[in-house]
Amino acid sequence: MRLHSLSVSAFGPFAGTERVDFDELNDAGLFLLTGPTGAGKSSLLDAVCFALYGTVPGARGVKTLKSQHAPADARPEVVLDVTVQSRRFLIRRSPEWTRPKKRGTGLALEKASASITETTGGVEHFLSARAAEVGLLVHDLMGMSAGQFVQVALLPQGEFQTFLRASSQERHDVLQQLFGTDRFARIEDWVHERSRRLKGEAAVGESAVQRILDTVADRAATHVPDALSGEALPVAAAEGEVLPWLGATLCAARTDAGLARGAHDVARADLTSARLRLEVGTRQAEQRLRRVAADRTLAALAESEPTALAARAALEGHQRATRCLPVLELHARAQLNRERAADDRDAAVRALAGA
């Protein structure tokens, strides 16, 4: 913000119109506003604050800003020519005041008013004549509220300790808005968020590494060293102690696996040989059993040979008789037929004889 000029009329201790040209003072770079007590130094700063925000520092209200030394019909007004954010504005403000009625007796109330005009390339552009709109525009341009502006730029006499005694958060908000440190707050938030996300990813990675170490140790029939477990794992991983242990463990496991594979091959060969011997022995045992059974059968046959011979003779006789049986049956039938024929002949003879 850069002040160019300030004009006050019937404002505070100034009964008439007073004008301060800040451009002449700004050429010196740094200037000091001095004067005896009651000379109006604070009133000029009050006028700047009133022009910008429509209020003044301290406990005084805006209804008592009209100079008591000015004529009753003199209009109190503050005109500020100021540059904010490379834009030049002319701001006019009048506080609420009373004047004599134009007709009759008594006093009439004049409401507070404000207007703002922007100068661009030497041409004035009227922006607003509504106090609320002027206040919002100035607030956006200044980037701070009236209370913050008073705390930072126009601390009233005797109230500097108020700012010093303010809470850390209140001072933080004022200074952040004043110096635009919100970008650093955004960076800080980004760092915190990224730190939180990386911490989560690191936790997931740590869990995965711990799980791999436990699996390798379990498969290798060993245990994970304490230096590679729990809270010591991140430090050990950062110092490169995890991979050497894994390499040594895997190398030992490969060696043990090679030895076990050789022993397995020998055991498999022994098993195959044993199976062959078992099969040969089983066959030999079966053959021995069959030979014993055959010997027993032969012995039994030798003991029963006479009976077998008699039975064989009887069987042969039976077989011969069986072969003769059809002939005997034919003979029997022929004999029966012959006897019947003889009977028939005798009957015929008797019949002829009787005739």
Side-chain angles (χ1 to χ4, degrees), residues 326-349:
V327 178
L328 294 175
E329 289 178 353
L330 290 174
H331 180 269
R333 284 197 298 270
Q335 185 68 30
L336 180 61
N337 291 334
R338 187 180 68 179
E339 291 176 354
R340 289 177 179 175
D343 293 339
D344 292 340
R345 185 189 64 186
D346 293 341
V349 170

Side-chain angles (χ1 to χ4, degrees), residues 23-63:
D23 283 336
E24 295 182 2
L25 300 175
N26 288 330
D27 292 339
L30 183 66
F31 62 89
L32 177 65
L33 187 62
T34 64
T37 301
K41 302 183 298 298
S42 297
S43 297
L44 289 177
L45 299 179
D46 290 348
V48 172
C49 184
F50 178 75
L52 292 172
Y53 292 100
T55 186
V56 293
R60 293 169 298 168
V62 295
K63 297 182 179 181

Side-chain angles (χ1 to χ4, degrees), residues 13-239:
F14 306 107
T17 299
E18 304 293 340
R19 186 175 185 278
V20 179
D21 189 351
F22 289 102
D23 283 336
E24 295 182 2
L25 300 175
N26 288 330
D27 292 339
L30 183 66
F31 62 89
L32 177 65
L33 187 62
T34 64
T37 301
K41 302 183 298 298
S42 297
S43 297
L44 289 177
L45 299 179
D46 290 348
V48 172
C49 184
F50 178 75
L52 292 172
Y53 292 100
T55 186
V56 293
R60 293 169 298 168
V62 295
K63 297 182 179 181
T64 60
L65 294 180
K66 181 181 176 179
S67 175
Q68 298 178 358
H69 309 289
D73 57 351
R75 177 187 181 86
E77 184 180 49
V78 174
V79 180
L80 178 64
D81 188 359
V82 62
T83 296
V84 183
Q85 295 188 9
S86 302
R87 298 170 63 183
R88 188 162 181 170
F89 300 93
L90 185 67
I91 305 174
R92 295 177 179 273
R93 279 191 187 271
S94 292
E96 181 180 300
W97 64 290
T98 56
R99 60 169 178 79
K101 291 183 178 180
K102 296 179 180 180
R103 296 182 181 180
T105 60
L107 299 175
L109 179 65
E110 290 285 345
K111 294 184 179 181
S113 62
S115 67
I116 184 169
T117 303
E118 183 176 4
T119 302
T120 305
V123 180
E124 295 184 352
H125 302 279
F126 182 77
L127 299 180
S128 177
R130 299 179 62 181
E133 292 180 355
V134 174
L136 290 175
L137 179 58
V138 171
H139 182 279
D140 293 339
L141 290 170
M142 296 293 292
M144 67 182 73
S145 65
Q148 293 169 336
F149 179 76
V150 169
Q151 282 187 319
V152 173
L154 297 179
L155 283 175
Q157 296 179 15
E159 294 188 16
F160 183 73
Q161 59 182 350
T162 303
F163 177 74
L164 297 179
R165 292 177 179 176
S167 65
S168 298
Q169 185 60 44
E170 291 174 348
R171 291 197 300 270
H172 172 273
D173 295 340
V174 172
L175 296 177
Q176 176 176 321
Q177 200 160 13
L178 175 63
F179 297 106
T181 59
D182 55 328
R183 61 184 181 276
F184 300 109
R186 291 195 298 271
I187 294 174
E188 184 179 3
D189 293 340
W190 178 85
V191 170
H192 286 319
E193 175 61 24
R194 181 171 177 81
S195 176
R196 185 192 62 78
R197 182 169 57 83
L198 292 178
K199 186 176 181 180
E201 294 176 357
V204 173
E206 180 182 344
S207 176
V209 171
Q210 188 69 66
R211 185 168 57 254
I212 293 173
L213 292 177
D214 293 339
T215 302
V216 171
D218 180 68
R219 300 292 176 84
T222 183
H223 66 279
V224 181
D226 294 338
L228 301 181
S229 301
E231 297 180 355
L233 178 58
V235 177
E239 294 178 355

Side-chain angles (χ1 to χ4, degrees), residues 235-252:
V235 177
E239 294 178 355
E241 298 179 3
V242 175
L243 292 180
W245 181 84
L246 283 175
T249 303
L250 292 176
C251 182

